[in-house]
Amino acid sequence: MLGDDTHLKLRPIESEVSLLGNCDGSARVRQGSTSVLVGIWGPVEVRQSRELPDKATLEVSVKYCTGQGTPRDTYSEDVVASVCREVILLSEHPRTSIQVNVQVESDDGSVLAVTANALCLALMDAGLPLRSQFAAVCCVTTPTTNDTDTTPTVTWDPTCEEEGDDTTARYLFVYDSDSRNVIFSNYTGGQCEVREYLLYLQKGRQLANQIFSYFRESFEKFLRKDVKFQLLLSESDKVKGNGS
């Protein structure tokens, strides 16, 4: 069960970029029935009381579709802020603020992974300096019913139903695009053997590769439709033509 690739798959992914006109970068990602919208503002002016002399101040807000503030909102904000600090070069914009607003429009499982993937596209759209792009996947484990094999069953990109009360542990892995190393991970649940954890890292990396491929194709389609980008390509072609 532990090395079985039967459940190593993602739900269908859809995305939109630059869909909000009032911010510097935005993206919506849907995986299955989970949908997350991220807006980025910044670098913008920051209140003097929150100003940092050596880097930008990071402000993160996460709101779920329930509309009511819960401890889950705070926990999600902590996760998003941790990922942002790993990837955004905050030192490039001292004495400013970078604001990240996350709206969970619908939650049918794997919401933190979907949030991280929407965050990556929104940051790219905003043009902020990043150490690398990143992609996130998550999985849950459930006890096996086989008496002769006690290794847990692993489900990747789980739905809310699959994230039910019978799960023994939940994992979130965020990988960078350069070396496919984990830049952030989160684990909740019972005990986990080292060999299991390392195997989950390896399997998650395979799924992250699929997401990076999707990101590349998604942004290529977006840029082909972008008028400013087409003008830049046209000017570049003219320069090359004159040079020859």
Side-chain angles (χ1 to χ4, degrees):
M1 282 288 191
L2 193 59
D4 186 8
D5 286 350
T6 303
H7 301 287
L8 192 64
K9 58 185 178 181
L10 297 168
R11 293 172 293 175
I13 303 177
E14 299 177 1
S15 65
E16 301 172 77
V17 180
S18 283
L19 65 161
L20 299 179
N22 63 338
C23 60
D24 296 296
S26 60
R28 173 186 285 126
V29 169
R30 301 184 187 89
Q31 281 183 227
S33 297
T34 298
S35 178
V36 178
L37 174 65
V38 177
I40 307 291
W41 286 260
V44 296
E45 187 176 353
V46 63
R47 295 195 305 271
Q48 189 172 5
S49 60
R50 295 181 57 83
E51 185 180 279
L52 298 175
D54 58 341
K55 60 183 177 182
T57 300
L58 182 64
E59 301 179 72
V60 175
S61 172
V62 177
K63 301 296 181 185
Y64 278 77
C65 47
T66 56
Q68 299 177 347
T70 66
R72 181 173 64 165
D73 294 8
T74 303
Y75 172 73
S76 299
E77 288 172 355
D78 290 342
V79 171
V80 172
S82 296
V83 174
C84 286
R85 293 189 184 99
E86 288 293 331
V87 297
I88 303 175
L89 296 173
L90 297 174
S91 60
E92 295 291 317
H93 297 286
R95 302 183 186 278
T96 65
S97 172
I98 295 174
Q99 301 167 1
V100 179
N101 286 356
V102 177
Q103 178 66 53
V104 179
E105 299 175 316
S106 58
D107 179 6
D108 186 29
S110 308
V111 69
L112 287 177
V114 180
T115 297
N117 292 332
L119 174 65
C120 181
L121 291 179
L123 289 171
M124 292 167 61
D125 184 43
L128 288 172
L130 305 177
R131 291 185 176 88
S132 69
Q133 299 171 26
F134 55 96
V137 296
C138 66
C139 69
V140 295
T141 60
T142 52
T144 182
T145 56
N146 189 340
D147 294 335
T148 61
D149 184 4
T150 59
T151 55
T153 299
V154 185
T155 303
W156 292 91
D157 192 19
T159 63
C160 276
E161 182 178 356
E162 291 167 333
E163 290 178 341
D165 295 335
D166 58 340
T167 57
T168 56
R170 301 182 184 190
Y171 302 81
L172 171 68
F173 302 116
V174 183
Y175 301 85
D176 70 20
S177 59
D178 295 332
S179 56
R180 301 301 197 263
N181 287 331
V182 172
I183 59 174
F184 178 84
S185 64
N186 185 266
Y187 164 73
T188 57
Q191 293 182 345
C192 175
E193 294 185 11
V194 173
R195 69 180 186 91
E196 294 177 1
Y197 187 81
L198 293 177
L199 183 59
Y200 301 157
L201 281 177
Q202 175 189 346
K203 298 297 184 181
R205 189 174 287 111
Q206 297 178 34
L207 292 178
N209 287 335
Q210 297 179 28
I211 296 174
F212 284 126
S213 296
Y214 174 80
F215 282 174
R216 183 169 57 252
E217 295 172 2
S218 178
F219 248 86
E220 286 176 353
K221 291 178 181 178
F222 168 73
L223 290 174
R224 282 198 292 268
K225 297 178 182 178
D226 186 84
V227 175
K228 292 181 180 180
F229 182 71
Q230 292 302 324
L231 289 174
L232 287 173
L233 285 180
S234 177
E235 291 298 323
S236 177
D237 291 341
K238 289 181 181 179
V239 171
K240 289 180 180 179
N242 294 334
S244 59

